[in-house]
Amino acid sequence: MGLIGLTTEELSELVAKHKAPSYRGKQLSHWIYRRYASDFNEMSDLPADLRSDIHQEYTINPIHISACVKSSDGVVKYLFEMGDGERIESVYLPYPDRVSICVSTQAGCPMRCAFCATGSEGLSRNLTAGEIVGQALALQRERPDRRISHVVYMGMGEPLLNYDATLKSVRLLINEVGFSARHITLSTVGVPDGIRKLSRENAPVTLALSLHAPNDQLRARLIPTAMKWRLAEILQACREYFDATGRNLTFEYLLLQGVNDSPEHAESLATLLEGLPGNVNLIPYNPVKVDQTFRRPNTKGIQAFREVLERRGRVVTQRMERGGGISAACGQLRRHAFEAQQPEISAAPER
Ligand code: SF4
């Protein structure tokens, strides 16, 4: 079991069991969440016998980096292995003005989106809060040159179907690691009860809704398991989230040529979102070698779609193309690791 995942209060309770005063819990918290310690020997101001006692029962980080693949533009995709051998992915994205990471909340995913490698394999299990936060801390330790400023919950899994662990990880990132809630984005396919619950948590993260279609019928083709929640209900929950938190939403829209990218689809999308605050983020599909089902629209088509939305008064952004050399979609690195023992990835980086 990892210490990462425990709050300072829980760490203080832990040291109390070993007859140590509660300030030792705060020291422990400082070492793991602010100094990214990965070895008990680094914790020089904690008594050696206390470190040794805790080490009998706990590791520090419950996950470790097992491989990575680097793109020429600085993006790095990491494969993590957990205690039971399950594997997940995270992505490190450096920009001139910030460093963002994309973390996973589940090993696999139950949503089975038609365009996603992770979804095609189904869910293995939920991650713990420690396994979610552990991704951020391991990457910060791995890349000490720049401070990670933004965390996006957009990796493997549907965060709101692992609600308690996801929320605890958000609180740990804010309260223990020191992230601003404004710099945390939680991406969901739209789980109305989860969105409503989150709006009452006083953890005002940015909510990104993976919309991808302007009507229920088309959406059911792309996100089959999301059919139990109608768009009207999802968008009503989004409105409640905005009312409760004051945070604008982002509507993610994956553009798939000939599927959801016509000007008529753009008109329907604009109508669907009328009265709802938030920008639309267009994501032109990034084709994956192993799956030729979908294609990326051409530049003219993307521009035409965008113009319809803008003419209807919607602010539109387009996701910056990053990680070209590692164009594998979400879940591809994990799949490689399962299918072949020698994928085109490097071994775990040295510490
Ligand atoms: S796109 Fe996201 S929600 Fe859909 S199957 Fe993949 S990981 Fe799950």
Side-chain angles (χ1 to χ4, degrees):
M1 190 174 167
L3 290 177
I4 290 174
L6 300 179
T7 63
T8 298
E9 203 181 351
E10 288 166 337
L11 289 167
S12 295
E13 286 165 13
L14 172 67
V15 298
K17 283 187 199 147
H18 296 279
K19 313 264 184 279
S22 69
Y23 74 87
R24 295 294 189 196
K26 288 191 185 133
Q27 287 177 301
L28 201 48
S29 167
H30 188 76
W31 276 110
I32 61 175
Y33 292 120
R34 302 288 175 141
R35 300 190 67 176
Y36 322 115
S38 66
D39 188 322
F40 284 95
N41 289 326
E42 293 172 41
M43 304 176 181
S44 50
D45 57 0
L46 282 166
D49 55 348
L50 178 61
R51 281 184 263 155
S52 163
D53 286 350
I54 294 173
H55 194 17
Q56 310 265 320
E57 286 176 71
Y58 290 87
T59 57
I60 296 177
N61 197 331
I63 62 175
H64 68 271
I65 296 170
S66 64
C68 68
V69 56
K70 297 177 185 172
S71 158
S72 55
D73 62 5
V75 173
V76 188
K77 185 174 271 199
Y78 288 92
L79 185 70
F80 283 96
E81 189 164 325
M82 301 183 282
D84 59 359
E86 283 291 345
R87 291 166 180 161
I88 52 163
E89 296 177 5
S90 310
V91 187
Y92 178 90
L93 297 130
Y95 296 89
D97 60 336
R98 66 187 194 281
V99 175
S100 190
I101 60 165
C102 176
V103 298
S104 296
T105 53
Q106 296 180 308
C109 182
M111 299 312 299
R112 297 196 176 275
C113 297
F115 46 81
C116 174
T118 301
S120 67
E121 287 168 8
L123 175 70
S124 295
R125 70 165 172 87
N126 284 334
L127 301 195
T128 65
E131 288 165 340
I132 300 170
V133 176
Q135 296 166 61
L137 296 172
L139 293 189
Q140 185 64 80
R141 183 174 175 93
E142 186 64 26
R143 307 296 300 258
D145 49 319
R146 292 184 66 191
R147 183 162 169 72
I148 295 168
S149 55
H150 292 68
V151 179
V152 183
Y153 285 67
M154 206 180 270
M156 302 168 72
E158 164 50 56
L160 295 180
L161 291 183
N162 182 16
Y163 188 89
D164 292 342
T166 294
L167 180 65
K168 185 172 184 187
S169 71
V170 165
R171 291 203 191 288
L172 287 166
L173 287 175
I174 296 171
N175 301 333
E176 309 289 354
V177 190
F179 280 91
S180 156
R182 305 183 79 81
H183 290 179
I184 298 174
T185 299
L186 196 148
S187 174
T188 175
V189 300
V191 181
D193 286 350
I195 294 172
R196 286 197 191 92
K197 210 168 156 192
L198 190 65
S199 70
R200 298 189 291 268
E201 301 284 7
N202 193 25
V205 297
T206 300
L207 198 64
L209 175 67
S210 297
L211 202 47
H212 308 328
N215 58 61
D216 284 312
Q217 204 182 10
L218 178 52
R219 201 164 188 258
R221 268 179 64 199
L222 301 177
I223 315 176
T225 49
M227 256 326 277
K228 50 185 147 172
W229 307 297
R230 314 288 292 179
L231 275 173
E233 192 192 350
I234 295 169
L235 293 176
Q236 177 55 31
C238 288
R239 183 182 302 282
E240 290 171 30
Y241 189 82
F242 171 77
D243 289 344
T245 64
R247 303 303 314 276
N248 271 356
L249 285 96
T250 298
F251 301 102
E252 306 280 352
Y253 197 96
L254 182 69
L255 283 167
L256 304 162
Q257 190 183 54
V259 177
N260 65 355
D261 68 332
S262 70
E264 292 73 31
H265 288 124
E267 293 283 0
S268 305
L269 180 62
T271 302
L272 180 76
L273 296 179
E274 256 165 26
L276 261 170
N279 62 308
V280 172
N281 189 29
L282 296 178
I283 311 164
Y285 181 64
N286 202 358
V288 179
K289 268 187 239 158
V290 292
D291 186 353
Q292 300 295 324
T293 314
F294 297 108
R295 292 183 192 284
R296 177 193 178 91
N298 60 31
T299 310
K300 224 169 128 189
I302 297 168
Q303 188 56 27
F305 194 94
R306 180 178 188 139
E307 279 168 13
V308 170
L309 291 173
E310 287 177 339
R311 181 171 44 74
R312 297 279 302 268
R314 186 61 57 177
V315 173
V316 182
T317 54
Q318 189 172 323
R319 185 178 289 180
M320 209 188 282
E321 303 283 330
R322 300 295 307 274
I326 51 167
S327 58
C330 166
Q332 284 293 298
L333 186 59
R334 176 175 181 258
R335 179 186 276 184
H336 274 305
F338 276 124
E339 289 178 350
Q341 290 309 304
Q342 298 299 324
E344 47 176 333
I345 52 178
S346 47
E350 284 178 20
R351 296 207 164 273

